[in-house]
Amino acid sequence: MPPLPPEAPGVYLDACATSPPAPEVLEAMAQAHRQAWANPSSLHGFGLAAADRLERDRLAIAEQLGCDRDELVLLSGGSEAIHTALIGCAGCLEPGRVLLSAVEHPASYAAAAAMERRGWQRQLLPVDGRGLVDLEALQELLVPPTRLVSILWGQSEVGTLQPITSIGQLCRQAGVLLHVDAVQVVGHQPVDFRQLPVDLLSCAAHKLQGPRGVGALLVRHGLELEPLIGGAQEGGRRGGTEPVALVAGFAAALELARQRLAAHGGEDPIGSLRDRLLERLLALEGVRLSGPAPADPCGRLPHHISLLVSGPDGRPLPGRRLVRELARRGYAVSSGSACTSRGAPGASAVLLAMGYSPEEAASGLRISLGPWLSPADLAGLPTALEEALRSVAAAPG
């Protein structure tokens, strides 16, 4: 595991929030900073060196994601990619209806709110107790005025993997555009844009041990987008001087993920480590799984564990307090709560949409793993969680 600064000791188990850059990523970025630091739009030798490095890494990223070079738009990360996809489409279409699931990332809701200010209608698709979109409801709504659907492929809070192929086929049959937020999926399973019935796909480097500040939007040939930031870069779809070193880190992170998946038959090897840990955690009193089980046919993110916790009396315990208790014991996890909440303090909007009570929706705990971890790193976590549960349950109030 990479060394952590003195003020943050312990084991990092919050990969769905961000991940520590891999040594190979840092080296690729350092090399780009040394050799390709100039503006790649400049016509002198320094600029041409930067443009060459940028082009080589652009081609490498496109190859890893299964898209053509000119289908790839490089930008600052997942949130900008989502906004570019939704608002960019809205700027080139007649106002209509946009459909989103009830368990999307807040960036998607923010982009949809901006579309509403342009005259669009927003409607949420219901989900079941595992967080899966209701496909019958989707099919019924794939009629005018629906023009765009945006779906989160891998849910960061409860691990649900949506059936993107089925959703995409329904959208294609109806002639409706589909954007997929693949931020949590890329790096954990092979993604081939050419083979997906998807029109736009967003991802970010920092979820797969790449740098923060860079991501990509894949845009199907022939689809017009209104840029959020004007300029000549990225084929006129995203202005601004390209961050050559960040793109180099992104390409390196994707290559590491490709190697890891290829060495294990396309499966993320962190899944087996997750399964062994999950079995031990579910053996603890007051701990249960939220979202799909790993063996569920719908699938679950391979590096993801989400739990609901309760005390000896069966009453839900506040997840945020458990996060603090585990941090004191050297484990960095997340409460799994969304950025915004309603109902009980800290209640997750995602868990509420899945049918949990406000008290249960405030008791979420998320543990997300990465390739920097070993079984030894996780060996003490069940005991630490058991101690944290007792401490929180015994605390007044």
Side-chain angles (χ1 to χ4, degrees):
M1 181 175 176
L4 294 171
E7 66 272 14
V11 181
Y12 185 76
L13 305 172
D14 199 12
C16 284
T18 196
S19 58
E24 295 89 342
V25 168
L26 295 175
E27 176 54 34
M29 293 171 63
Q31 184 185 72
H33 275 302
R34 289 192 300 267
Q35 301 174 358
W37 49 265
N39 188 324
S41 296
S42 298
L43 298 179
H44 46 62
F46 298 99
L48 293 176
D52 177 71
R53 179 62 192 257
L54 178 65
E55 181 65 13
R56 287 188 284 115
D57 287 326
R58 183 190 302 278
L59 290 171
I61 293 169
E63 181 179 358
Q64 299 297 343
L65 297 176
C67 69
D68 294 340
R69 176 199 176 282
D70 56 355
E71 292 180 305
L72 175 68
V73 182
L74 296 169
L75 24 66
S76 68
S79 290
E80 187 188 348
I82 291 167
H83 278 72
T84 300
L86 272 61
I87 300 173
C89 281
C92 296
L93 297 172
E94 289 294 322
R97 180 167 58 201
V98 58
L99 304 178
L100 304 95
S101 82
V103 292
E104 295 295 306
H105 187 275
S108 295
Y109 296 137
M115 294 172 68
E116 287 183 289
R117 292 191 289 271
R118 295 184 175 208
W120 284 67
Q121 305 169 31
R122 178 182 64 162
Q123 186 159 346
L124 299 185
L125 297 163
V127 297
D128 65 14
R130 296 172 296 171
L132 284 168
V133 168
D134 185 330
L135 294 183
E136 290 187 4
L138 170 63
Q139 190 165 17
E140 290 176 0
L141 288 168
L142 287 175
V143 294
T146 299
R147 298 184 183 276
L148 177 63
V149 174
S150 184
I151 296 293
L152 179 59
W153 192 346
Q155 218 294 319
S156 66
E157 189 174 334
V158 294
T160 308
L161 285 169
Q162 300 293 347
I164 288 302
T165 298
S166 298
I167 291 171
Q169 289 170 347
L170 290 174
C171 291
R172 286 279 167 90
Q173 291 166 9
V176 171
L177 296 175
L178 173 63
H179 163 253
V180 168
D181 172 357
V183 166
Q184 298 291 348
V185 170
V186 169
H188 294 285
Q189 70 178 59
V191 173
D192 187 345
F193 188 59
R194 295 186 186 94
Q195 301 301 317
L196 290 171
V198 170
D199 301 292
L200 305 116
L201 184 142
S202 54
C203 59
H206 74 104
K207 304 295 187 180
L208 55 143
Q209 291 197 276
R212 285 182 290 274
V214 65
L217 176 66
L218 310 188
V219 184
R220 191 70 65 193
H221 282 303
L223 181 57
E224 293 186 14
L225 289 179
E226 181 181 271
L228 300 185
I229 303 174
Q233 294 88 352
E234 300 303 307
R237 294 174 293 191
R238 202 280 187 180
T241 301
E242 299 93 341
V244 177
L246 294 179
V247 175
F250 190 6
L254 282 168
E255 173 59 19
L256 286 174
R258 184 200 67 78
Q259 293 175 6
R260 185 171 61 253
L261 293 172
H264 295 85
E267 300 287 334
D268 190 339
I270 203 71
S272 59
L273 188 63
R274 184 274 313 271
D275 291 346
R276 294 194 296 272
L277 175 62
L278 178 60
E279 183 178 5
R280 295 182 63 197
L281 295 176
L282 292 179
L284 301 176
E285 182 181 4
V287 175
R288 58 190 170 116
L289 186 70
S290 62
D296 194 298
C298 78
R300 184 186 183 102
L301 288 168
H303 61 307
H304 191 286
I305 291 173
S306 56
L307 306 170
L308 299 177
V309 290
S310 57
D313 58 1
R315 297 180 62 182
L317 297 175
R320 293 179 180 179
R321 289 172 63 180
L322 278 168
V323 168
R324 291 192 288 270
E325 288 294 329
L326 284 170
R328 294 188 184 102
R329 291 163 173 80
Y331 294 94
V333 302
S334 167
S335 70
S337 296
C339 296
T340 57
S341 62
R342 56 186 185 269
S348 157
V350 169
L351 292 172
L352 290 171
M354 292 165 59
Y356 290 99
S357 70
E359 292 74 21
E360 290 174 308
S363 72
L365 199 66
R366 181 183 72 188
I367 300 164
S368 44
L369 313 180
W372 59 88
L373 295 167
S374 69
D377 292 319
L378 304 176
L381 179 60
T383 298
L385 178 56
E386 188 173 32
E387 293 173 353
L389 287 167
R390 286 200 297 266
S391 177
V392 172

